[in-house]
Amino acid sequence: MRLLRRLGGFLLLCGLLPLAQAELLELRRAQVSTVVAGDLLEGETSLPYNWDRQHGGQSGAAVFEIPLQLLQPPAEPYAVYFSRVGNRAEIWLNGILLSRFGDLNRPNREDYAKAPQYVLIPAQLLQRDNLFRIIVHADGGRRGGLSSMLVGPEVEVREHYHSVYRWLVNGSIAVSVFSLVVGVIALLLWVTQVESAPGARPRRVGLYLSAGIAEMCWMLRLSDTALTDPPLAWPWWGVLQTLAYAGWFCGSALFCHYVAGWHRHASMRWVRGVVWALMLTAAPAAWLAYTRHNDAYLTGWYGFATFLFIAYAAVYFWGSLRRPTTEHVLVAAAGVFNVLVGFRDWLVIRASSNFSEISWMRYSSVLFGLALGYIVITRFREASAQARDLMDNMAAKVQEKERALAASYQQLEQLAREQERAAERTRILRDMHDGVGSHISAAIRQLQSGKASSDDLLQTLRDSLDQLKLSIDAMNLPPGDLTTLLANLRYRLEPRFKASDIALAWDVDLLPPLARLDGKAMRQLQFMVFEALSNVLQHAQASELRIELRACPGGGARLRVIDNGRGFDPERVQRKGLASLRERAAAIGVVLELSSEPGRTVVEILIV
């Protein structure tokens, strides 16, 4: 039942069915007084009253007096329905203001003539003889005026009003939202999708752009029905609406050309030329029609565009029959249907004086929008499938390369480990040669000379043993941990300090590891400290040894070895141990400072 009511409302809206409610009265006779350009005209008229046809598209005002006779005053509320009233209007009944549509003192702004209007009449205001007084202010070229009035019980009038409103306003909003969704999807695809051909640079897909422009323009065109107070004043808003209409069918034509694959032909240049010509002439035609109060400019432009697209639709439909594809036939059928509906709208609304008719294009465009959306989504799915295949192929190639790289990395890692082991063996051999080997060689020379005492020989052998132990300890030193390094040296050498009657003062802070000291630097630093301690044992004749470790304020550490021995002159005394200290300090980038005098010798290592 609801479906039948909606169908009946749509047919009534289109003028295909007479009024079904017997109690509703249609008022057509009126007395009218008009003021146009300061001239007052009075007389009788028959509604509907098409302002633009009556006054050549000029602005003005009119007062309509319409009698309503009833057999007896009703006990229930009445209502009055206008299919078109305005552009702005006041509705009076028996001297009482019932409703006001817009501000009569603001021309070229609000427009209430685009949608049906409904006014409630309280029962106590109705008499046997009643008089409606309708004050209308109309803007030139805006299809203002007054339709016939439908008066009757409030329930029946309201039902009729809602039926028409749903089809005209809500239907337009629904179609505009649909166009917005399709347009946004198409534009997003145009931004994100790129097509490439062999030997040509990549470019964006024009099919998506033309579809997006067409649907966004149509959304703007249909949204006008719901905007009683548009953002631009008239006639600028009318010019924008004409441009939106031109953008819709020009974008649709380009879309059809892309769907058929004709964009690669020479005809595409001519189609683009015609499209640009229509777009560039749309605004001047609308401006001339609205400012010169001559609708012939816009009617002629609409007529030229309509017949041009009728010819294009015929050629396109014939092409779809010669080489049929699903997309081509679908677009051709929707396009031909819309072109025929557009011709009907031009003939009924533009070329004739029919005032109450509405455009059917707002409904028929849904078919073209559905076809457009279907093709856009289908093309996107095909492109996505191709992209997935390409990505799968690329992924397979990447995996193959990754496996090859992994094998190469494994070989390099194995080679690096072998090089590391070789370097470690080389270091151990060098340390043994420079440390243990040199001390054993010295012990052999001492024995061969026969001049060395047993104490000297014992000292040399002990140094050799300490060197060997430290070489082994160096393999497990934590990187950057100076506290552990010094503790290890103390563990190895403290018995020798006690045997030599040297008191050890331990003043070492617990410091966090220093990141700049790797394993190699730690080994060099270990031998530097060992060399300094060995010099104290062999040459200083000291009774007290002090080891200090402090953190530096700006980062790093300061390590000091201090003894109270006899001292020496660092500039004059040239010992192999001192030269080794300087070489190792330079190798790891630390600062070595030596100061010595009788009773105090300081070896300071600054690590920054």
Side-chain angles (χ1 to χ4, degrees), residues 72-134:
Q72 60 182 5
E76 60 182 6
Y78 263 41
V80 58
Y81 165 82
F82 303 90
S83 62
R84 186 179 293 271
V85 59
N87 305 104
R88 294 161 302 283
E90 289 182 352
I91 314 300
W92 296 74
L93 176 64
N94 299 330
I96 303 297
L97 178 63
L98 296 179
S99 182
R100 178 181 289 116
F101 300 115
D103 188 350
L104 300 184
N105 297 319
R106 291 183 65 207
N108 299 320
R109 291 300 309 181
E110 298 153 309
D111 183 9
Y112 286 84
K114 295 181 290 188
Q117 304 298 336
Y118 162 87
V119 179
L120 178 66
I121 304 175
Q124 59 269 25
L125 294 183
L126 291 170
Q127 307 167 6
R128 289 180 180 272
D129 295 320
N130 303 277
L131 182 65
F132 282 100
R133 191 166 183 266
I134 315 296

Side-chain angles (χ1 to χ4, degrees), residues 33-41 49 51 54-62 138:
S33 300
T34 62
V35 178
V36 178
D39 297 331
L40 175 64
L41 297 175
Y49 191 90
W51 181 271
Q54 295 290 337
H55 302 285
Q58 298 186 71
S59 301

Side-chain angles (χ1 to χ4, degrees), residues 4 60 76 117 129 132 167 221 232 287 289 299 322 327 329 333 349 358 394 403 424 426 441 517 531 560 569-570 601:
L4 292 176
E76 60 182 6
Q117 304 298 336
D129 295 320
F132 282 100
W167 281 104
R221 175 76 174 185
L232 296 178
W287 180 257
T299 301
R322 291 183 60 190
E327 294 181 352
V329 173
I349 298 175
I358 66 168
M394 291 181 62
R403 286 193 294 268
E424 185 67 14
T426 302
S441 298
L517 295 178
E531 188 67 36
R560 304 174 75 192
D569 186 355
T601 298

Side-chain angles (χ1 to χ4, degrees), residues 560-592:
R560 304 174 75 192
V561 177
I562 307 170
D563 69 81
N564 63 347
R566 62 182 181 176
F568 65 95
D569 186 355
E571 300 298 330
R572 297 181 61 184
V573 176
Q574 299 297 327
R575 293 177 180 167
K576 184 178 179 181
L578 295 179
S580 176
L581 280 175
R582 293 189 177 94
E583 290 175 0
R584 292 181 186 274
I588 62 175
V590 299
V591 179
L592 175 66

